[in-house]
Amino acid sequence: MKPSKDIIFALATQKGKSGIAVFRISGKGSHKLVKSISSKKKFKTKLTSLNNILDGKNIVDQTLTTFFKSPKSYTGEDMVEISCHGSISVINKITKTLLKKQMRLAEPGEFTKRALMNDKLSVLEAETIIDLVNAETENQRKIAISNLSGSLDKFINEVSNKLKKLLADIEAIIDFADEDLPKEIYKNITEQKKNIIKKIENILKKSSLSSQIYNGFTITIIGKPNTGKSSFINYINNKEVSIVTNIPGTTIDLVTSTLDILDDKYTFVDTAGIRKYKNLIEKIGIERSLESAEKSDLNLVFLKNNEKKNYSEIKSKIFVKSKYDTNKKKINGAHSISSVSGYGIEKLLKTISIQLKKKPISGPVFSRERHIESLNNALILLKGLDLKEIDISAENVRRSIMYIDGIYQKFDIEKILDIIFSDFCIGK
Ligand SMILES: Nc1nc2c(ncn2[C@@H]2O[C@H](COP(=O)(O)OP(=O)(O)O)[C@@H](O)[C@H]2O)c(=O)[nH]1
Ligand SMILES: [Mg+2]
């Protein structure tokens, strides 16, 4: 696939009132077209110039304009960036002026797509850029920026080379008679196989944690009615999310709220109180609470008294006793908090964060379904290798190389691009 020859442009910043807005323009001939609507006629590349954008003889806006010469630009093509004033009227007028010059609006991710096609970026780097643009929490940003250094490509390359060496050794068994082969070859192959499996398993383990960093951790709050569950949710959300009353059974369905605590994303699920139900709606509510507890990464169990043993079936939990402001009696093994005074809440949130993230993640991690699936497919093939069936083994190693190389290679490029760019934003 060749990148299209059109000159494309897009607003790279959000449309709306702001101090400045940035337009990006890319494509062969873009320099000439921008000069034809500029007060300045000579530009040095990569140097920002004060420049009036013109509509005929009329000034549209006073801008800072920067020219980038191919191949030294984000897309690898000739590019221009125009920083203009960020009002809606300026943005609209510049858009119209550029459209009049036979440039067209870029599709989402089209700049990065061109960068990819012009070998300015690898497929993995393009995906990492999406992650960086979409990062909402500090830890999401940290993973994305560390992946941007090319560490994912390096990992894939390494595994791919190890697999090719393994394949060569297996093929040697097929091609040569036993007496010509080194004695240790079977042991050696088994050793190599184990190493590669371990390498892939390790990165998959790390990656499953990273997917929680991307998608957030889920925490369900359960306990008897009136133990202060909804009040706690409201306290940490700083607003009314759940209805709070002293009538037991007020919360009858799951109420979720997502927030950023200590650099990570958490989804809290407030549930119906666990008690003997009085009607069918309440019964369903209680069943849903338990289902949610089963699926979540951690549960906060709010206690009334010392009824801890009621919750022995609940996995991964922290006990909480609320209303410390009115009752200072502590329960052994439970966190005392108050949603009125805020007592103990910061400490509880810290405990939650420590419990969920045992170790900080370092080094390359894969966060996309596409990558995880390919790594898993390769892993299954490798684990099933049986050297007694040498021809099948060779074929399976070949297939696992295809899975691994598929993560960063450009074959199947159209399909991969569709997946990658479906969640891209315009102007990137
Ligand atoms: N004094 C005090 N009252 C609380 C606290 N948390 C909740 N309550 C009160 O306890 C009652 C039940 O609270 P709620 O959050 O609805 O409990 P839930 O049924 O477990 O969700 C309400 O009247 C709340 O105002 C707290 O920390 N201190
Ligand atoms: Mg409630």
Side-chain angles (χ1 to χ4, degrees), residues 224-231 243-246 251 322-323 325-326 338-340:
K224 287 188 177 177
N226 262 335
T227 46
K229 301 182 294 298
S230 300
S231 303
I243 301 165
V244 172
T245 71
N246 55 6
T251 314
S322 190
K323 312 194 191 183
D325 53 305
T326 54
S338 164
S339 305
V340 170

Side-chain angles (χ1 to χ4, degrees), residues 191-369:
E191 208 51 39
Q192 291 181 53
K193 179 187 92 169
K194 268 198 210 145
N195 274 338
I196 303 172
I197 288 177
K198 203 159 132 208
K199 222 172 152 58
I200 299 179
E201 275 179 341
N202 280 346
I203 203 138
L204 280 173
K205 214 184 283 163
K206 245 189 343 176
S207 300
S208 80
L209 192 55
S210 93
S211 98
Q212 284 174 323
I213 288 180
Y214 274 104
N215 304 322
F217 297 94
T218 306
I219 299 178
T220 296
I221 305 186
I222 55 169
K224 287 188 177 177
N226 262 335
T227 46
K229 301 182 294 298
S230 300
S231 303
F232 167 73
I233 286 286
N234 289 345
Y235 183 89
I236 57 173
N237 273 286
N238 218 356
K239 62 179 185 249
E240 295 271 313
V241 181
S242 279
I243 301 165
V244 172
T245 71
N246 55 6
I247 308 162
T250 312
T251 314
I252 49 174
D253 205 351
L254 308 181
V255 181
T256 61
S257 52
T258 298
L259 61 161
D260 186 350
I261 302 169
L262 301 170
D263 298 342
D264 279 309
K265 192 165 131 187
Y266 292 89
T267 300
F268 284 88
V269 186
D270 187 15
T271 66
I274 311 270
R275 63 166 181 170
K276 285 214 179 71
Y277 49 85
K278 296 229 164 60
N279 57 42
L280 183 63
I281 300 179
E282 237 190 293
K283 177 175 183 253
I284 297 172
I286 293 170
E287 280 166 6
R288 285 205 186 144
S289 312
L290 296 173
E291 262 168 41
S292 171
E294 188 60 38
K295 279 189 287 189
S296 56
D297 299 300
L298 183 70
N299 295 292
L300 297 185
V301 181
F302 275 57
L303 295 174
K304 194 166 194 169
N305 299 303
N306 204 342
E307 69 274 23
K308 281 195 252 168
K309 60 175 186 329
N310 294 2
Y311 301 100
S312 53
E313 306 259 297
I314 303 289
K315 50 149 210 186
S316 163
K317 57 189 171 252
I318 293 178
F319 289 111
V320 180
K321 170 83 165 68
S322 190
K323 312 194 191 183
Y324 184 76
D325 53 305
T326 54
N327 180 357
K328 303 254 180 316
K329 209 173 131 223
K330 296 205 170 182
I331 297 176
N332 212 1
H335 276 259
S336 285
I337 62 157
S338 164
S339 305
V340 170
S341 67
Y343 175 87
I345 289 187
E346 204 170 306
K347 196 166 153 216
L348 175 62
L349 296 178
K350 207 170 234 164
T351 308
I352 292 173
S353 144
I354 291 168
Q355 182 137 342
L356 284 173
K357 290 175 44 205
K358 303 228 158 48
K359 264 193 247 144
I361 301 180
S362 60
V365 283
F366 291 91
S367 55
R368 291 176 175 268
E369 273 311 304

Side-chain angles (χ1 to χ4, degrees), residues 33-86:
L33 285 190
V34 173
K35 275 181 202 161
S36 74
I37 51 165
S38 292
S39 60
K40 203 173 155 75
K41 295 296 169 206
K42 280 215 156 82
F43 291 88
K44 279 203 173 123
T45 54
K46 286 193 173 169
L47 272 187
T48 299
S49 315
L50 193 62
N51 174 40
N52 289 334
I53 295 293
L54 307 172
D55 177 27
K57 286 200 173 94
N58 300 320
I59 298 176
V60 174
D61 190 22
Q62 196 175 62
T63 73
L64 287 177
T65 305
T66 316
F67 280 57
F68 300 86
K69 183 104 193 90
S70 166
K72 291 187 175 175
S73 73
Y74 181 72
T75 57
E77 303 171 334
D78 280 350
M79 281 188 79
V80 186
E81 273 185 24
I82 300 173
S83 304
C84 60
H85 292 99

